[in-house]
Amino acid sequence: MKRIFASLVMVLSLAAIAAHAADTAKTNGWISDSMCGAKHAGSGAACVKKCVQGGMAPVFVDEANKAVWKIDNPDAVKDFYGDHVTVSATTNTDAKTVHIDSIEAAK
């Protein structure tokens, strides 16, 4: 019985790790602000910086589908307001948020 329980715990742990890995992705997009969202993707760096300094939250705009994601660790993107970037991020699709694990200027 102990072996079955231990095996079950191990399988469930591995499944949780695999599910977490599936939520992490590397993608291109823009850092924008919560007021303008995708409107300034690629053209409004000055506006994004002004809006964020004025209290708007930074957001990530996915390049492929222009989806706007709230960033749950906004300090990670403070040097990239308005920029086209490549991020490695963990997504929470239910909350429509991303946690930026790494960020760099897109090539």
Side-chain angles (χ1 to χ4, degrees):
M1 188 63 150
K2 287 182 182 181
R3 282 187 186 165
I4 293 171
F5 181 73
S7 296
L8 183 61
V9 168
M10 187 169 30
V11 168
L12 291 175
S13 297
L14 291 174
I17 290 169
H20 176 71
D23 292 339
T24 302
K26 193 168 190 175
T27 188
N28 287 345
W30 290 270
I31 303 301
S32 187
D33 63 89
S34 57
M35 184 168 73
C36 298
K39 286 189 245 178
H40 291 300
S43 65
C47 181
V48 172
K49 290 174 186 176
K50 185 176 180 178
C51 288
V52 171
Q53 289 171 350
M56 296 292 113
V59 296
F60 177 71
V61 180
D62 186 326
E63 179 178 60
N65 57 15
K66 302 288 192 246
V68 178
W69 295 79
K70 182 178 176 186
I71 300 170
D72 70 4
N73 59 333
D75 286 341
V77 301
K78 65 183 176 184
D79 295 329
F80 296 93
Y81 296 151
D83 292 346
H84 187 224
V85 295
T86 300
V87 299
S88 177
T90 305
T91 60
N92 179 336
T93 54
D94 294 335
K96 195 72 171 164
T97 62
V98 294
H99 181 86
I100 306 293
D101 300 315
S102 68
I103 185 170
E104 61 186 29
K107 296 175 182 163

